[in-house]
Amino acid sequence: MIVSRRWLEALLGRALDPQDLERRLGMLGAPVEGIVPLHQDLADVRVARVLEVKQHPNADRLTLCLVDVGGSGGAGPVEVVCGAPNVQAGKKYPYAAVGAVLPGGAKLERKKIRGVESNGMLCSAKELGLGEDHAGILELDTDAPPGTPFLDAYPIADHQIVIEVTANRPDLLCHKGVARELGASLGATIKLPELPVGRSDRRTVGPNYRPAVRRPDRGAVDGVEIRLEDAEGCPRYMAAVIRGVRVGPSPAWLAGRLGNIGQRSINNVVDATNYILFELNQPLHAFDLARLRGPAVVIRRARAGERIVTLDGVERTLTAEMTAICDAERPTIVAGVMGSAESEVTPATTDLVLECAYFQPTRIRRTRRALGLSSESSYRFERGIDLFGMPDALRRAIEAIVAVAGGEVREALDLWPQPIHEKTIFLRPERVAQLLGMTVERRDIEQLLSAIGFVVAPKDSRLAVQVPGWRPDVTHEVDLIEETARLKGYGAFPDELRPYRPGTVPDAPIERAKERVRQAIARGGFYEARTFPLGPADGPDAVEVLNPLSAEEAHLRTRLLPGLVRRVEHNWAGRNRDIRLFEVGTVFRRGTSGVAERTAVAGVLTGARRPPHWTEGAKVPDMDIWDLKHHFELAVRLAAPACHVQPAPGGALGWVAVKRGGGGDDVGGWAGALEADAPVWAAPLFGFEVRLEVVELAPALYRALPVTPPVERDVALVLPPDVTAEAVAGVLHRTSGTLLEALDVFDEYRGPGIPADHRSVAWHLSFRDPGRTLREGEVDKILAAAMRALEDELGVRRRAG
Amino acid sequence: MRDLLAAVHALRERLGEIPQADERRLQDLKTEILGRKAGALTKILGDLPKLQPADRRSVGAAANVLKRDFEAAFAARERDLARASRATVGLDPTMPGRPSWRGGLHLVTQVVAEICDIFRELGFTRAVGPEAETEWYNFGALNFPKDHPAIDVQDSFYLADGLLLRTHTSPVQVRTMEQYRPPIRVVSPGQCYRRDPFDPSHAPVFEQVEGLVVDEGVTFVDLKATLSAFARQFFGPHTATRFSPSYFPFTEPSADMQVSCSVCHGAGCPTCKQTGWMEILGSGMVHPAVLENCRIDPEHYSGFAFGMGPHRIAMVRHGIPDIRLFFEGDVRFLAQFSGEGAP
């Protein structure tokens, strides 16, 4: 919402400082987003009086004016060349001396015009940035003596104040509402400014106006029949007929008021209704009586398929969910949103219907969304306007139109099928203290609320508070408590920390689990990424977003890995070859009922196994499938301790994490090589993903550190094809029992000396008895038994030599 | 005899030369003092037999002590020189050390953890809820009027079956109040979604930390005190706070909290847009309608709630100009905030 400082000043009857305004509004809950100075660039322009007008010796259309520009030091009148047809001796005009800087930044140079030197310039409205009128110079109606700065004589310099208005405060969408808040803060009262009466050449007939005639749902106003058939969409409808208006350009004060808040001047009638909109927050609609068939105005639900060409020239199709303002035959206005091009007020209009209505907020909201069409009016109706302020708004709108466009009003009609009163809410002063933690005196509360238009009366131990119509947001006692705190100022409340009771909610185990896993994986040399959870469909059970931002982002992720692969590609694009990323995040699948959410842990790795170091030359081996297996096993131990890692089924080298004792089909994780859009210099890319299970870890128990010495053996075994290291290790553990403390592979060999398709795998075995020192002979015996079992069961023999 | 004793004492002075001696000087000193033929101390010891027995004992004792001291000093210096030569021969100590790959947590994760840790100190635990929510939990239970402009600022992504992606973690408030009885003191971190296109200051996905306190006699003063205490912990002990009215359908009164700018301390800078203040969080007293929706009697209990955006807070505190950087997964960006410097 943009408000004008000068407009607010007119309502409050006092000068305002923009910075002070910003501070006050912020503390009242209407933060200022920006302050834009306007017309400050007219500082060099002064008031001047033309003393004499002569014909330019060398040009028919130019005149030579003798101008009193005031000023000290007795510098007499100056000669100025003028091209305007309207210049007259004795009148005052804005004058810019040589050297003055005009709007747009141009500096006025001394120059000769058709052989005569001009000492400065008399300015038009357009040259001053005050309007489009370029035909003549701007005649000033002022008592200020020549030489007075223009901005002193005409205080048009202004500030646009851009206010952020929250959805609950429609009252702040107009100058009166903002002034009301400021008035409470400043201790000032507000009064609507007098509307300047029109120029003498216009018909300025004052309104012969009686209060609008109240009827339930139908009536006539000055020969126009008005029927309110949709009281649900339009609870109250007022209308007046104004005859004999002269549509034309707006006077400067009106165009200036609207221009200063960024509104284009359209014509005097439309501008007058807009003026009331921005002054009182009452949208009004004036339409041409001559175009009205009947003449009748019917407020009804639109018929499905009815069409209307709105003001913006677009043909729109209405539905039965919308309210339309129609004449005897067809819709002329989409109620509360926009009128038709056909019924628009034009220069030819002489008689018009002025509509002042309250439309049901939800109806307007749905209509505006269905049509994809917003307007200043729909924005206000949607938030709720002042149902009780309508008669005053209509009267002032009529005054404004008659003041700027002339015309006559005989009567006005007020259709209100189910009249209601302002609501009254009871406020318990002790409840204020209970909720705010500080006592606010009863008289204080009364004063605070009264200052912004609430009517407060004591009622037993409570306060009966009547809520003004412009505050539809205030519906409960707590709303009044908020008003009390807001007007008192939040700064008035202390911020001392008081004792509290501990809560009953246990700390979420999933958050602990995520924290633990994140830290452990980061320690393994991975950076945490947070990828975008929307992307293309990943699998048939991906959850679809019905209104995505783009077709490529129409599904929720079912896995983390695709997102991480895209992040790897992003890093490759930045010429980075060594990338280790992980993510802990939510994945989604369509479940039997709704959406199944799980937390997953995933990592991707590519590039050198360790950073290169000068002691080892530049070449460091790239990470391979064995780096992957290590990180996968670690992730499974961290995130899914109930699973164990086994080779993935199918051809490709990879692993899965399978629930122990789960029959093998409960897969909780996967690891393998990944496809990606890789540059030629990239290393192979690997990744893993594990489902995070929330398990409360038992505290680790101490195992006694050994005091007896181990007996160590290295054995190289020849494994036939299809015999796995895991199978060999199984036999070794079974036959050695608990004395075999550690078993590690330290080499693998294929080649000469080993039968084709066979391989030699070397193990380091470490035996220990924690209770006594093992003898070499015992270990030799165990090993011999193990070798026999290996040969019998797996065909594995000790490598010769 | 006096001459010999004086010679022993004079010789002792020279012990001090040994710790500074380089390898060659050390050999020379050794020869000069302990040399088998011409060593100064060797000579003294050789002259001992010429003395009277009483003198021989006193001079002999002093000379032998000195001999042991010299031997120990020479040995110590030789060890030092040997160690030094092993370490430095041909080596340039300014060459880089051997690095290992480092990793780290995402900045937003760190900020969320920091926020939750501070609230843990203030007696809060963590509560979480689903990201795919019903309209009731996301809007209805939180007192959002149906078909109201208040919903416009939280434009939602809709899923099938009447579900949507939560636009804030506030639904967790409702779920917590349904499940537990007061006193409640929780913070709920989590991912939220709004249908805003990506731009430097908006992301369709963002993290939020929401908080809720419900108990008997909880007041607006408690709200201000708790959140100010948080701000001082997070931004530093000299941080000032100020509260201004705001609007959230689920709180009343509602308040925005601003903190004095952590960059310029109130003087005005680009981070705070020259205002000296930064808007950090929204808050308010829990609306009675929300309590009622959770079957908690608002006449008996009251509470406050608050919510903040770790992405925004991280941007403010760390001077990050574009929210999209958080989602790109660029290792160079991530490493800047690992607390270890370069990757």
Side-chain angles (χ1 to χ4, degrees):
Chain A
M1 171 69 189
I2 296 173
V3 293
S4 137
R5 169 179 58 79
R6 288 188 58 237
W7 198 332
L8 295 174
E9 285 175 345
L11 283 156
L12 285 161
R14 61 190 292 169
L16 299 168
D17 170 63
Q19 267 66 43
D20 181 61
L21 214 79
E22 174 174 20
R23 195 181 53 78
R24 287 177 192 275
L25 288 173
M27 287 299 120
L28 285 164
V32 170
E33 291 179 324
I35 299 176
V36 185
L38 296 175
H39 300 314
Q40 317 278 350
D41 46 9
L42 297 179
D44 289 350
V45 178
R46 290 174 183 272
V47 175
R49 188 192 352 238
V50 172
L51 302 173
E52 197 186 330
V53 180
K54 288 187 298 189
Q55 187 62 44
H56 189 289
N58 307 325
D60 287 349
R61 297 188 166 198
L62 297 180
T63 54
L64 223 52
C65 302
L66 194 62
V67 181
D68 176 3
V69 298
S72 55
V78 298
E79 208 169 45
V80 175
V81 178
C82 181
N86 65 333
V87 63
Q88 288 178 40
K91 297 211 162 167
K92 290 177 186 166
Y93 302 97
Y95 166 77
V98 170
V101 178
L102 289 176
K107 192 171 169 182
L108 203 60
E109 307 277 350
R110 181 185 301 274
K111 63 177 174 189
K112 280 189 177 176
I113 300 171
R114 292 282 184 105
V116 180
E117 190 161 284
S118 185
N119 295 293
M121 179 171 100
L122 298 171
C123 308
S124 71
K126 187 171 183 181
E127 280 154 350
L128 299 182
L130 298 176
E132 292 304 306
D133 193 357
H134 193 50
I137 53 174
L138 186 64
E139 192 180 310
L140 302 180
D141 181 16
T142 174
D143 295 332
T148 308
F150 179 72
L151 288 178
D152 289 351
Y154 284 83
I156 55 160
D158 200 350
H159 289 90
Q160 278 188 353
I161 318 279
V162 187
I163 303 176
E164 185 189 333
V165 177
T166 51
N168 61 326
R169 292 295 303 276
D171 62 304
L172 295 181
L173 296 173
C174 68
H175 284 79
K176 188 182 180 187
V178 176
R180 184 185 297 122
E181 294 279 309
L182 286 170
S185 172
L186 292 160
T189 50
I190 47 172
K191 186 167 172 285
L192 296 187
E194 293 282 322
L195 296 169
V197 200
R199 287 193 214 158
S200 53
D201 61 335
R202 291 200 196 282
R203 258 179 84 202
T204 53
V205 179
N208 174 20
Y209 182 74
R210 286 157 301 169
V213 178
R214 175 85 63 81
R215 293 270 181 276
D217 59 5
R218 60 176 56 210
V221 56
D222 206 353
V224 181
E225 189 197 353
I226 316 260
R227 287 204 311 273
L228 174 51
E229 294 177 357
D230 179 13
E232 188 197 337
C234 177
R236 189 175 187 181
Y237 191 90
M238 298 183 73
V241 172
I242 308 180
R243 294 187 187 270
V245 297
R246 284 178 54 182
V247 178
S250 285
W253 71 267
L254 180 55
R257 274 273 185 271
L258 294 174
N260 281 9
I261 57 167
Q263 294 292 322
R264 196 165 54 89
S265 174
I266 294 165
N267 60 46
N268 50 5
V269 170
V270 173
D271 286 0
T273 59
N274 280 339
Y275 176 84
I276 301 301
L277 171 87
F278 290 109
E279 183 181 68
L280 301 177
N281 199 32
Q282 173 66 56
L284 297 140
H285 198 88
F287 47 104
D288 193 340
L289 179 57
R291 311 288 183 94
L292 208 62
R293 298 181 197 180
V297 175
V298 182
I299 303 98
R300 59 165 168 85
R301 276 179 185 258
R303 295 183 191 103
E306 261 182 325
R307 286 162 190 273
I308 181 171
V309 178
T310 42
L311 265 178
D312 53 3
V314 179
E315 188 184 54
R316 300 179 189 269
T317 305
L318 306 183
T319 73
E321 300 305 305
M322 301 172 182
T323 301
I325 314 297
C326 311
D327 61 13
E329 295 165 20
R330 70 234 147 112
T332 59
I333 307 174
V334 183
V337 181
M338 198 174 275
S340 73
E342 204 189 331
S343 66
E344 188 184 358
V345 170
T346 66
T349 304
T350 56
D351 300 341
L352 50 87
V353 178
L354 181 61
E355 165 193 296
C356 174
Y358 180 99
F359 296 111
Q360 208 269 324
T362 311
R363 177 72 57 86
I364 298 303
R365 177 176 166 81
R366 290 186 182 156
T367 303
R368 166 298 266 175
R369 285 170 73 98
L371 295 177
L373 178 64
S374 287
S375 63
E376 293 283 355
S377 295
S378 71
Y379 193 83
R380 286 166 172 77
F381 283 126
E382 201 182 311
R383 282 158 175 76
I385 60 155
D386 181 2
L387 182 66
F388 307 103
M390 289 168 59
D392 288 344
L394 178 61
R395 186 185 320 115
R396 187 151 167 96
I398 291 168
E399 277 174 29
I401 291 174
V402 171
V404 298
E408 218 171 345
V409 182
R410 293 218 186 83
E411 54 185 350
L413 186 65
D414 179 2
L415 299 183
W416 199 5
Q418 292 173 302
I420 53 169
H421 287 289
E422 282 96 344
K423 55 188 175 285
T424 295
I425 301 171
F426 292 98
L427 176 63
R428 295 164 292 174
E430 74 274 11
R431 184 75 183 152
V432 176
Q434 264 172 32
L435 202 63
L436 299 183
M438 184 184 90
T439 303
V440 183
E441 294 302 329
R442 194 187 165 106
R443 184 178 300 165
D444 208 1
I445 298 174
E446 287 184 37
Q447 272 174 5
L448 291 169
L449 294 176
S450 304
I452 54 163
F454 290 85
V455 181
V456 188
K459 174 90 179 172
D460 309 326
S461 63
R462 304 177 298 176
L463 297 172
V465 182
Q466 185 183 307
V467 181
W470 60 80
R471 290 301 301 272
D473 59 309
V474 176
T475 54
H476 293 88
E477 184 186 34
V478 70
D479 299 315
L480 293 172
I481 296 174
E482 174 172 69
E483 287 304 293
T484 304
R486 187 174 73 83
L487 296 163
K488 184 89 186 153
Y490 284 0
F493 295 85
D495 62 359
E496 66 199 39
L497 209 47
R498 296 171 179 176
Y500 57 84
R501 296 198 287 174
T504 58
V505 184
D507 197 38
I510 180 77
E511 288 302 302
R512 290 163 182 261
K514 279 156 75 173
E515 215 164 64
R516 193 170 49 81
V517 169
R518 278 186 175 125
Q519 280 164 0
I521 295 184
R523 273 199 302 276
F526 288 73
Y527 285 104
E528 185 189 12
R530 284 174 162 251
T531 68
F532 190 53
L534 294 165
D538 182 20
D541 50 357
V543 177
E544 191 184 358
V545 174
L546 302 180
N547 57 337
L549 286 169
S550 74
E552 295 76 47
E553 292 166 351
H555 291 82
L556 285 162
R557 61 189 176 193
T558 58
R559 298 180 298 151
L560 299 176
L561 273 176
L564 283 174
V565 169
R566 286 195 287 273
R567 297 303 97 214
V568 169
E569 287 163 354
H570 175 83
N571 277 283
W572 278 334
R575 312 293 295 175
N576 183 3
R577 189 174 179 277
D578 304 318
I579 306 152
R580 300 158 316 281
L581 293 174
F582 80 99
E583 180 165 15
V584 176
T586 312
V587 293
F588 305 81
R589 283 178 198 277
R590 263 206 320 271
T592 42
S593 62
V595 176
E597 291 180 33
R598 302 208 58 130
T599 304
V601 180
V604 285
L605 48 148
T606 178
R609 192 170 294 159
R610 57 180 180 272
H613 189 245
W614 54 273
T615 52
E616 299 154 305
K619 191 69 192 155
V620 172
D622 283 333
M623 286 188 285
D624 61 19
I625 200 89
W626 306 111
D627 295 280
L628 170 68
K629 189 182 183 195
H630 165 72
H631 289 295
F632 180 52
E633 285 176 330
L634 181 69
V636 170
R637 280 203 300 280
L638 288 163
C643 290
H644 75 278
V645 171
Q646 63 184 48
L653 186 52
W655 295 271
V656 288
V658 179
K659 196 83 154 258
R660 270 186 258 270
D665 49 359
D666 194 357
V667 175
W670 175 91
L674 295 173
E675 296 289 325
D677 190 3
V680 287
W681 45 261
L685 174 67
F686 304 98
F688 62 85
E689 179 151 352
V690 181
R691 223 158 56 183
L692 178 65
E693 308 284 350
V694 179
V695 283
E696 280 298 306
L697 291 184
L701 290 176
Y702 171 71
R703 281 166 299 165
L705 299 176
V707 291
T708 55
V711 176
E712 322 236 354
R713 291 283 187 277
D714 288 346
V715 293
L717 302 174
V718 178
L719 278 57
D722 302 334
V723 172
T724 64
E726 190 180 50
V728 172
V731 172
L732 286 170
H733 272 295
R734 196 190 71 228
T735 53
S736 308
T738 57
L739 294 179
L740 179 57
E741 186 185 61
L743 177 62
D744 298 299
V745 171
F746 68 89
D747 194 20
E748 182 187 39
Y749 170 78
R750 295 166 207 261
I754 305 292
D757 301 338
H758 286 49
R759 60 186 170 135
S760 161
V761 179
W763 269 273
H764 179 80
L765 297 84
S766 178
F767 296 88
R768 194 196 310 262
D769 186 325
R772 64 190 175 91
T773 302
L774 275 182
R775 289 193 306 275
E776 299 276 334
E778 285 177 81
V779 172
D780 290 338
K781 242 186 242 167
I782 293 169
L783 215 46
M787 291 303 128
R788 275 197 302 281
L790 281 172
E791 179 151 13
D792 292 351
E793 295 174 30
L794 301 174
V796 169
R797 314 168 80 157
R798 221 169 159 150
R799 188 172 162 193
Chain B
M1 175 252 157
R2 287 213 174 274
D3 290 352
L4 278 177
L5 208 52
V8 169
H9 285 304
L11 220 46
R12 179 167 282 279
E13 296 291 301
R14 307 202 57 191
L15 267 174
E17 293 174 30
I18 296 170
Q20 276 82 50
D22 63 13
E23 207 136 339
R24 173 175 298 173
R25 177 81 185 127
L26 194 66
Q27 282 311 315
D28 291 349
L29 278 171
K30 241 173 148 175
T31 315
E32 193 184 325
I33 292 160
L34 298 179
R36 229 174 262 179
K37 286 176 187 148
L41 193 53
T42 316
K43 273 192 193 154
I44 292 170
L45 288 165
D47 288 345
L48 284 179
K50 300 174 189 161
L51 297 178
Q52 296 294 323
D55 293 343
R56 191 188 308 153
R57 258 197 301 283
S58 63
V59 176
N64 276 306
V65 167
L66 185 61
K67 186 181 179 191
R68 275 203 303 281
D69 288 349
F70 268 111
E71 281 167 349
F74 283 126
R77 182 63 188 153
E78 274 166 358
R79 271 201 308 278
D80 284 353
L81 287 171
R83 194 178 303 136
S85 81
R86 263 205 306 282
T88 57
V89 165
L91 287 195
D92 172 3
T94 68
M95 292 288 272
R98 184 175 288 113
S100 59
W101 286 142
R102 314 304 298 172
L105 300 182
H106 195 279
L107 180 58
V108 167
T109 302
Q110 296 179 47
V111 170
V112 170
E114 212 178 316
I115 292 168
C116 291
D117 284 349
I118 292 170
F119 280 104
R120 195 199 323 271
E121 300 276 305
L122 292 165
F124 289 73
T125 51
R126 289 172 294 185
V128 292
E131 294 175 29
E133 267 291 8
T134 62
E135 286 204 82
W136 169 250
Y137 280 111
N138 197 72
F139 291 126
L142 289 164
N143 199 37
F144 276 81
K146 223 176 159 53
D147 255 323
H148 190 268
I151 293 180
D152 290 351
V153 293
Q154 304 206 0
D155 201 359
S156 319
F157 286 114
Y158 286 92
L159 311 175
D161 307 323
L163 295 174
L164 51 77
L165 292 171
R166 66 179 178 191
T167 56
H168 44 193
T169 54
S170 313
V172 181
Q173 283 185 23
V174 180
R175 290 178 176 276
T176 305
M177 283 189 274
E178 284 178 347
Q179 205 181 341
Y180 298 93
R181 304 315 296 173
I184 289 170
R185 287 178 84 82
V186 292
V187 281
S188 24
Q191 198 148 260
C192 307
Y193 303 76
R194 287 186 195 172
R195 212 173 161 281
D196 295 329
F198 261 124
D199 70 29
S201 49
H202 294 91
V205 174
F206 58 96
E207 193 75 12
Q208 196 178 50
V209 178
E210 174 100 11
L212 173 72
V213 171
V214 181
D215 200 357
E216 293 166 7
V218 175
T219 71
F220 189 63
V221 169
D222 296 314
L223 177 155
K224 283 188 69 177
T226 308
L227 297 179
S228 296
F230 161 75
R232 285 191 295 271
Q233 278 284 316
F234 191 89
F235 292 102
H238 301 297
T239 304
T241 55
R242 70 176 187 188
F243 293 78
S244 59
S246 188
Y247 170 62
F248 310 104
F250 44 104
T251 55
E252 182 107 46
S254 301
D256 281 331
M257 183 176 86
Q258 296 180 324
V259 299
S260 51
C261 179
S262 60
V263 177
C264 65
H265 303 289
C269 69
T271 301
C272 60
K273 298 191 185 104
Q274 307 303 333
T275 64
W277 295 90
M278 304 183 302
E279 200 167 307
I280 288 306
L281 56 79
S283 65
M285 301 303 293
V286 181
H287 198 288
V290 176
L291 294 173
E292 275 165 10
N293 286 336
C294 303
R295 294 181 303 282
I296 292 175
D297 179 7
E299 286 292 308
H300 192 66
Y301 290 103
S302 55
F304 66 85
F306 54 90
M308 63 190 102
H311 280 100
R312 230 186 73 72
I313 290 176
M315 288 171 79
V316 165
R317 193 171 66 168
H318 299 273
I320 296 164
D322 192 328
I323 197 170
R324 291 172 291 195
L325 286 162
F326 289 112
F327 297 90
E328 283 175 351
D330 192 313
V331 172
R332 294 166 301 182
F333 173 83
L334 300 172
Q336 285 181 17
F337 303 102
S338 67
E340 297 186 340

